[in-house]
């Protein structure tokens, strides 16, 4: 590693130790699956081959549901499509090494294409999580019914059997499935700990914040669905070869729910938990089904319900609660090295005002919330938006960051009309938004949150968890002023309200926007914290040339830091002037003292 | 003419089957994925009354009571801890469905059971001979729909339920006992579902997994209908009609997925579905 010098020794040791543990575990697992067949009965080899293929599916469910928060029952269908693609090709066209390779390619490619379609259907701007679950139910049902109506092409309800696939024996397939499982598990473990992998958790925690950090979360989820459909298809290929038979049940949503049950029992969001859950339960099911078939299902069902209610993170959570430290407590001083990075100026500069609003209007039915707002903001200005509750301040902020919000008028940012744009596109124009209630990622560390803010600027690694954290100087200064630089590896859920507000501000600044929108950044803060934020904002605008728009109730604070004040009242812009002009105007006194309407 | 009757009665059956799920989803905002299990429980109530040599009509009140009691226990033990985790509630109720299915299998075996017909024979209507029972199902659907309308519009519980549907936190702030409203709604919803299970027995074979087939269809219809019984009726008519047409003119197998596919498409276009009706 080129930047090895920058790594603090304790952290680099920890990283190395973790890699070593992972490597040893992988080797042990490989040894188990390679030498296992020598000690196992024929029955066990047979069942475990299947269980290990199912475990690959459980990993894909865990990545989607456990890590990203997308509850899916559809992985069974991708698995089934992969299995059927293999069986149909080998049955109807014939079997040769070339055709088997072709079957492998198709078994991955077809699910990837279908996964892209399913992803596109499930994830669009404004889609709800339950809708994705709905689609994940419909998809396997459609696939299953198509197989039933496929006649001899798909074997209909009796499935397909009697094709010849890979020329491996019982033990060969056991080893092949085992090695595949170890590889997929290792890949998944490395991925979820990498900088890219943390994006999945960020999406689960707070998708809105992801979008306002410039990440196209819909596209990320579609890509994830497509890739994991391919992995499920690969498992289908293995299954079709190893079992020599495919049946409509392999694609059904009921099988999809079983995958979720295994994942839940093993422990969602842990990769290893679902693997052990799938292998353990499927193996036990097969072993016990002879003696007490229904009772066993009853036990699994009961365990599942109890687990979901009392131990939602599964058995793995019990284990990690006993062994894992670090997370769940405040860690001072540890974490990646902060590296100051020269601003990138990734946003194209244009002449003219940074923000230009022309006759903005927003109405709900006949109720006009904003009308005839016209306003320009230039770089270096700190514009405060004041007005009583219900004046339309927050609505206006929303209109500025979501091109689908306004109902009339034109908003241009850096000369570009934002009509119809979604938040992450607007962020790419150089806008950063800080929400009223601190919007951060609760289960990530401080450093990981900041890294998310950089993810749209520099593609994070799929493999490595970086030892350094490059941020623009302004963001680092915020961290130092607020003491967050000492808490980089502390989980965000442990921070105080004020620390979260500061962290969000640092994240927004780390985006390197040219305009920052802040909705009541000082609400609920102590006097000292308030002063710190004021100092930072002044510096950002005066010295660094950011434009800032601030919604604020605290008029003293506004007076101290603003370069200009805009007054909204009942959805209209009633005053726009310098601090002195506005503060001494009669209109403001009237509005704030609750006098008659303007 | 038969086609028209098929459409209307199919819609009626869909409505009967999904009404209980809708009541629960509307008020509790929880998807009861054990819905299929309650249909099965209801159907086995018919099996029990048949086995005891009682009139098959007695199965209706028996199923309602059994479904409601079971629903009360479920709400208290499983659903209530999961209000803040709707995704987990889907999973826990699905797990409960597995449990109920296995218990029924242990008690009755996994074979198909036969029940006595509630009504048999045909009736001459609109120039054709048509199944009397399907027409009865239509009447039952109308009765259930009107019953809910009366309950919602005319009773104190209905008023409270509507308040909870509109704004739960406000309803609680106004002093409504939302916990009790949810509890009672869940019991009514599950009781009604078990009742629907009895009504299904003449139309479908009775076995421990019979409910699953109906679960997805009703789930999709409820997603489209939101919390409105009017919207559910419209959705049942439109999608049920499409299902009958596809089954008749294209393929019965594709007919089976019509409701699910159309619902998904409608939701993709408008996330509120038919809820504005």
């Amino acid at each position: 590693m080129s930047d090895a010098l920058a790594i603090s020794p304790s952290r680099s040791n920890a990283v190395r130790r973790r890699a070593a543990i992972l490597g040893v575990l992988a080797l042990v697992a490989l040894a188990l699956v390679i030498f296992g067949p020598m000690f196992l009965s024929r029955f066990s080899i047979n069942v475990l081959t299947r269980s290990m293929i199912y475990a690959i599916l459980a990993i894909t469910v865990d990545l989607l549901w456990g890590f990203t928060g997308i509850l899916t029952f559809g992985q069974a269908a991708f698995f089934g499509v992969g299995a059927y693609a293999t069986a149909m090709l080998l049955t109807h066209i014939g079997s040769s090494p070339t055709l088997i390779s072709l079957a492998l390619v198709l078994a991955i490619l077809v699910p990837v294409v279908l996964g892209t379609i399913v992803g596109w259907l499930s994830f669009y701007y404004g889609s709800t999580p339950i809708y994705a679950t709905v689609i994940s139910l419909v998809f396997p049902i459609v696939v299953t019914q198509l197989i039933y109506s496929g006649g001899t092409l798909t074997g209909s309800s009796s499935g397909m059997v009697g094709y010849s696939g890979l020329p491996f024996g019982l033990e060969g397939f056991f080893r092949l499935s085992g090695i595949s499982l170890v590889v997929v598990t290792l890949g998944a473990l490395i991925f979820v700990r990498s900088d890219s992998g943390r994006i999945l958790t960020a999406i689960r925690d707070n998708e809105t914040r992801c979008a306002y950090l410039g990440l196209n979360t819909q596209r990320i989820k579609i890509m994830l669905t497509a890739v994991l459909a391919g992995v499920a298809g690969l498992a289908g290929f293995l299954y079709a070869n190893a079992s020599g038979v495919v049946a409509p049940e392999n694609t059904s949503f009921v099988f999809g729910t079983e995958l979720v049950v295994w994942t839940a029992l093993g422990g969602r969001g842990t990769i290893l938990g679902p693997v052990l859950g799938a292998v353990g339960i499927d193996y036990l099911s097969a072993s016990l089904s002879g003696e007490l078939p229904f009772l066993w299902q009853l036990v699994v069902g009961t365990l599942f319900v109890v687990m979901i209610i009392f131990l939602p993170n599964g058995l793995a959570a019990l284990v990690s609660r006993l062994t894992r430290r670090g997370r769940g407590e405040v860690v001072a001083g540890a974490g990646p090295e902060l590296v100051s990075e020269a601003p990138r100026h990734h946003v194209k500069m244009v002449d003219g005002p940074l923000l230009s609003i022309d006759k903005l209007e927003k109405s709900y039915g006949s109720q006009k919330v904003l009308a005839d707002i016209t306003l320009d903001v230039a770089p270096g200005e700190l514009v405060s938006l004041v007005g009583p509750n219900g004046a339309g301040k927050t609505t206006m902020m929303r209109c500025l960051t979501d091109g689908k919000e306004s109902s009339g008028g034109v908003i241009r940012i850096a000369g570009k009309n934002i009509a119809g744009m979604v938040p992450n596109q607007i962020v790419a124009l150089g806008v950063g938004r800080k929400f009223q209630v601190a919007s951060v990622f609760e289960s990530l560390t401080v450093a990981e949150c900041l890294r998310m803010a950089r993810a749209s600027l520099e593609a994070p690694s799929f493999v490595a968890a970086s030892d350094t954290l490059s941020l623009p100087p302004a963001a680092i200064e915020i961290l130092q002023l607020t003491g967050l630089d000492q808490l980089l590896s502390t989980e965000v859920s442990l921070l105080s309200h004020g620390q979260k507000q500061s962290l969000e501000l640092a994240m927004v600044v780390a985006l390197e926007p040219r305009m920052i929108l802040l909705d009541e950044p000082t609400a609920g803060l102590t006097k000292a914290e308030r002063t710190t934020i004021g100092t930072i904002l002044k510096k950002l605008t005066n010295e660094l040339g950011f434009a800032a728009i601030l919604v604020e109730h605290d008029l003293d604070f506004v007076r101290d830091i603003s370069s200009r004040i805009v007054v909204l009242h009942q959805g209209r812009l009633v005053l726009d002037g310098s601090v002195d002009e506005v503060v001494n105007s009669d209109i403001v006194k009237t509005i704030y003292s609750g006098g008659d309407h303007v | 003419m038969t086609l028209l009757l098929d459409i209307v009665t199919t819609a009626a059956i869909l409505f009967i089957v999904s009404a209980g799920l809708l009541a629960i989803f509307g008020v509790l905002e929880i998807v009861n994925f054990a819905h299929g299990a309650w249909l099965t429980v209801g159907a086995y109530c018919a099996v029990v009354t048949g086995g005891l040599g009682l009139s098959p009509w007695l199965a209706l009140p028996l199923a309602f009571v059994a479904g409601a009691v079971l629903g009360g226990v479920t709400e208290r033990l499983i659903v209530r801890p999961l209000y803040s985790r709707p995704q987990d509630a889907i999973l826990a109720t699905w797990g409960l469905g597995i449990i109920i299915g296995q218990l029924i299998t242990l008690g009755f075996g996994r074979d198909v059971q036969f029940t006595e017909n509630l009504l048999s024979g045909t009736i001459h209507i609109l120039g054709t001979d048509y199944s009397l029972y399907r027409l009865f199902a239509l009447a039952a659907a109308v009765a259930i729909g009107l019953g809910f309308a009366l309950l919602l519009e005319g009773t104190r519980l209905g008023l409270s339920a509507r308040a909870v549907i509109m704004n739960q936190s406000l309803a609680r702030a106004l002093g409504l006992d939302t916990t009790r409203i949810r509890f009672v709604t869940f019991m009514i919803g599950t009781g009604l579902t078990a009742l629907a299970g009895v009504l299904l027995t003449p139309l479908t074979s009775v076995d421990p997994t019979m409910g699953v087939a109906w679960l997805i269809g009703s789930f999709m219809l409820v997603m489209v209908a939101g919390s409105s019984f009017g919207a559910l009726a419209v959705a049942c008519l439109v999608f049920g009609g499409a299902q009958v047409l596809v089954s008749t003119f294209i393929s019965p197998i594709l007919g089976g997925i019509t409701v699910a596919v159309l619902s998904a498409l409608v939701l993709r276009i408008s996330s509120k579905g038919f809820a504005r009706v």
Side-chain angles (χ1 to χ4, degrees):
Chain A
M1 261 188 259
S2 57
D3 49 359
L5 285 177
I7 307 169
S8 57
S10 70
R11 178 170 164 84
S12 109
N13 280 344
V15 169
R16 233 175 271 150
R17 205 173 58 220
R18 171 172 275 173
I21 291 174
L22 210 59
V24 169
L25 278 179
L27 285 178
V28 170
L30 273 181
L32 276 178
V33 298
I34 287 171
F35 298 111
M38 296 176 183
F39 309 102
L40 291 167
S41 69
R42 220 183 138 70
F43 171 81
S44 299
I45 295 178
N46 224 331
V47 173
L48 283 173
T49 303
R50 184 186 72 186
S51 310
M52 290 191 296
I53 295 174
Y54 289 171
I56 296 178
L57 292 175
I59 293 175
T60 67
V61 171
D62 194 29
L63 286 171
L64 282 166
W65 175 48
F67 284 89
T68 321
I70 307 165
L71 178 58
T72 175
F73 301 112
Q75 287 308 100
F78 296 121
F79 167 75
V81 167
Y84 264 91
T86 308
M88 283 163 71
L89 186 86
L90 298 180
T91 304
H92 297 301
I93 301 180
S95 180
S96 70
T98 327
L99 284 173
I100 291 177
S101 322
L102 182 64
L104 173 61
V105 173
L106 280 181
I108 295 174
L109 214 55
V110 177
V112 166
V113 172
L114 290 174
T116 312
I117 297 172
V118 168
W120 175 83
L121 270 172
S122 309
F123 310 115
Y124 52 93
Y125 181 66
S127 66
T128 57
I130 189 99
Y131 181 71
T133 305
V134 167
I135 294 291
S136 86
L137 274 175
V138 174
F139 177 61
I141 292 170
V142 170
V143 172
T144 311
Q145 293 301 322
L146 287 179
I147 287 169
Y148 274 124
S149 60
T152 52
L153 197 63
T154 57
S156 196
S157 60
S158 48
M160 307 188 84
V161 66
Y163 51 87
S164 56
L166 288 170
F168 295 156
L170 202 59
E171 302 185 356
F173 279 121
F174 179 90
R175 293 185 176 122
L176 178 65
S177 313
I179 293 169
S180 309
L181 175 61
V182 173
V183 170
V184 173
T185 310
L186 197 62
L189 280 173
I190 292 174
F191 170 63
V192 297
R193 285 174 168 74
S194 74
D195 294 338
S196 303
R198 301 306 288 162
I199 294 180
L200 305 187
T201 309
I203 290 177
R204 185 190 66 197
D205 270 11
N206 190 342
E207 190 168 347
T208 311
R209 181 28 95 195
C210 285
Y212 281 97
L213 291 178
L215 295 172
N216 187 342
T217 55
Q218 314 305 341
R219 204 174 63 200
I220 294 171
K221 289 195 284 186
I222 293 172
M223 275 163 38
L224 186 71
T225 308
V227 170
L228 294 177
V231 176
L234 170 73
F237 171 83
L238 292 174
Y239 181 84
N241 276 290
S243 71
V245 52
V246 294
E249 290 77 50
N250 297 137
T251 66
S252 72
F253 95 89
V254 175
F255 179 46
T257 58
E258 265 181 88
L259 295 174
V260 175
V261 172
W262 298 335
T263 308
L265 288 178
R268 62 179 101 158
T270 60
I271 303 288
L272 283 179
V275 167
L276 297 176
V279 172
I281 297 172
D282 188 53
Y283 180 74
L284 279 176
S285 301
S287 314
L288 298 174
S289 65
E291 295 150 49
L292 16 113
F294 309 121
L295 206 59
W296 167 246
Q297 284 298 318
L298 189 65
V299 170
V300 171
T302 313
L303 211 59
F304 176 60
V305 174
V306 170
M307 203 77 119
I308 288 283
I309 297 174
F310 297 106
L311 200 64
N313 291 322
L315 285 176
L318 269 188
V319 179
S320 64
R321 202 177 293 172
L322 298 176
T323 59
R324 239 163 111 217
R325 298 235 180 83
R327 299 240 164 199
E329 53 188 68
V330 178
V331 195
E337 190 86 3
L338 280 178
V339 176
S340 178
E341 195 185 76
R344 292 168 169 248
H345 301 294
H346 61 100
V347 185
K348 220 172 66 210
M349 292 294 201
V350 283
D351 295 330
L354 205 46
L355 169 72
S356 156
I357 307 175
D358 189 32
K359 298 204 173 62
L360 171 66
E361 194 180 304
K362 170 73 186 175
S363 47
Y364 296 99
S366 60
Q367 175 79 14
K368 275 196 181 171
V369 185
L370 289 176
D372 198 25
I373 307 269
T374 298
L375 182 71
D376 279 358
V377 176
E381 281 196 287
L382 201 167
V383 180
S384 286
L385 207 55
V386 300
N389 282 328
K393 303 182 300 287
T394 301
T395 309
M396 185 166 145
M397 293 295 232
R398 238 190 351 254
C399 290
L400 293 182
T401 48
D402 184 343
K404 293 175 195 286
E405 275 285 326
S406 65
S407 11
V410 178
I411 301 172
R412 288 177 193 282
I413 292 171
K416 210 162 154 68
N417 187 345
I418 64 162
M421 284 189 170
V422 296
N424 58 291
Q425 294 170 318
I426 293 174
V427 169
L429 294 176
V431 177
R433 178 172 174 193
K434 204 207 143 303
F435 289 86
Q436 191 167 353
V437 178
S439 172
V440 287
F441 304 111
E442 295 284 329
S443 53
L444 264 50
T445 65
V446 170
E448 285 166 342
C449 281
L450 290 159
R451 210 184 289 286
M452 285 306 141
R454 303 293 288 174
S456 66
L457 298 178
E458 46 191 317
S461 163
F462 281 96
V463 185
S466 184
D467 290 313
T468 57
L469 177 60
S470 317
L471 295 173
I476 294 186
E477 202 176 331
I478 297 175
L479 297 177
Q480 285 165 344
L481 273 175
T482 54
L484 281 172
D485 61 335
Q486 293 307 309
L487 299 169
L488 286 177
S489 58
T490 300
E491 202 173 281
V492 170
S493 57
L494 301 169
L495 297 184
S496 74
H497 171 71
Q499 284 171 323
K500 284 182 192 173
Q501 294 281 21
S502 308
L503 173 61
E504 194 190 10
L505 184 61
M507 286 160 69
V508 171
V509 170
L511 266 177
E512 297 186 31
R514 295 176 54 206
M515 181 167 78
I516 307 184
L517 309 178
L518 305 110
D519 203 342
E520 297 196 33
T522 64
L525 294 194
T526 63
K527 184 84 190 153
E529 288 169 329
R530 210 173 282 217
T531 316
T532 312
I533 294 231
T535 317
I536 293 165
L537 287 179
K538 256 190 189 156
K539 182 165 181 201
L540 287 175
T541 47
N542 289 349
E543 293 175 28
L544 299 170
F546 285 63
I549 301 181
L550 179 75
V551 166
E552 193 49 78
H553 275 302
D554 182 346
L555 281 183
D556 291 331
F557 182 69
V558 165
R559 199 192 335 230
D560 281 347
I561 67 165
S562 310
S563 63
R564 205 171 124 201
I565 300 179
V566 170
V567 184
L568 276 188
H569 183 51
Q570 295 186 338
R572 288 176 180 276
L573 197 160
V574 293
L575 204 60
D576 178 356
S578 71
V579 174
D580 286 338
E581 280 166 19
V582 172
V583 169
N584 297 321
S585 79
D586 294 334
I587 298 178
V588 171
K589 285 175 188 157
T590 324
I591 294 173
Y592 270 92
S593 59
D596 57 11
H597 293 167
V598 183
Chain B
M1 256 320 72
T2 316
L3 196 63
L4 188 68
L5 285 169
D6 274 346
I7 290 176
V8 179
T9 52
T10 302
I13 293 160
L14 288 173
F15 184 86
I16 293 173
V17 169
S18 15
L21 190 65
L22 182 99
I24 292 171
F25 180 70
V27 177
L28 285 79
E29 285 175 358
I30 290 281
V31 180
N32 174 21
F33 243 51
H35 184 68
W38 261 278
L39 291 171
T40 316
V41 166
Y44 275 85
C45 285
V47 173
V48 169
T49 47
L52 296 173
L54 300 168
S55 155
W57 293 99
L58 269 180
L60 290 173
L62 175 69
F64 186 85
V65 171
V69 169
L70 203 55
V73 176
T74 305
E75 200 278 344
R76 187 65 200 84
L77 295 181
I78 296 182
V79 177
R80 201 173 292 179
L82 296 177
Y83 276 127
S84 53
R85 295 188 270 149
Q87 238 186 23
D88 284 357
I90 293 183
L91 293 173
T93 47
W94 173 258
L96 177 68
I98 299 177
I99 296 173
I100 295 177
Q102 296 306 326
L103 286 176
I104 289 176
T105 312
L106 284 173
F108 294 86
R110 66 204 298 185
D111 304 325
V112 174
Q113 305 275 341
F114 295 95
T115 55
E116 204 178 328
N117 244 338
L118 290 165
L119 284 171
S120 55
T122 58
I123 187 172
H124 198 71
I125 183 174
L126 296 171
T128 160
D129 286 317
Y130 201 77
S131 155
L132 183 62
Y133 185 73
R134 289 184 73 97
L135 290 173
F136 167 72
L138 177 59
V142 172
I144 289 173
L146 287 178
F148 265 108
L150 274 178
L151 197 65
L152 278 175
E153 303 291 332
T155 66
R156 215 183 146 70
L157 174 72
L159 183 69
S160 315
R162 276 187 293 153
V164 174
I165 291 173
M166 279 177 203
N167 189 337
Q168 182 147 303
S169 39
L170 182 62
R172 193 180 309 127
L174 289 173
L176 286 177
D177 186 353
T178 50
T179 310
R180 209 186 112 254
I181 294 165
R182 286 160 162 173
F183 182 68
V184 174
T185 311
F186 198 88
M187 285 180 75
I188 294 177
T190 48
L192 191 71
T193 305
L195 190 97
V198 178
L199 293 173
L200 276 180
T201 50
L203 302 165
T204 162
S205 59
V206 177
D207 66 67
T209 57
M210 61 173 281
V212 176
W214 292 93
L215 167 68
I216 302 303
S218 25
F219 172 63
M220 299 305 290
L221 286 165
V222 168
M223 286 293 115
V224 170
S227 57
S228 145
F229 278 95
L232 180 65
V234 174
C236 288
L237 267 176
V238 175
F239 295 158
Q243 178 186 330
V244 171
L245 293 177
V246 171
S247 305
T248 315
F249 295 111
I250 302 173
S251 132
I253 293 179
L254 292 183
I257 54 176
T258 313
V259 171
V261 172
L262 285 180
S263 308
L265 289 179
V266 166
L267 287 171
R268 177 66 170 86
I269 294 162
S270 154
S271 59
K272 285 210 169 65
F274 286 6
R276 279 166 298 182
V277 175

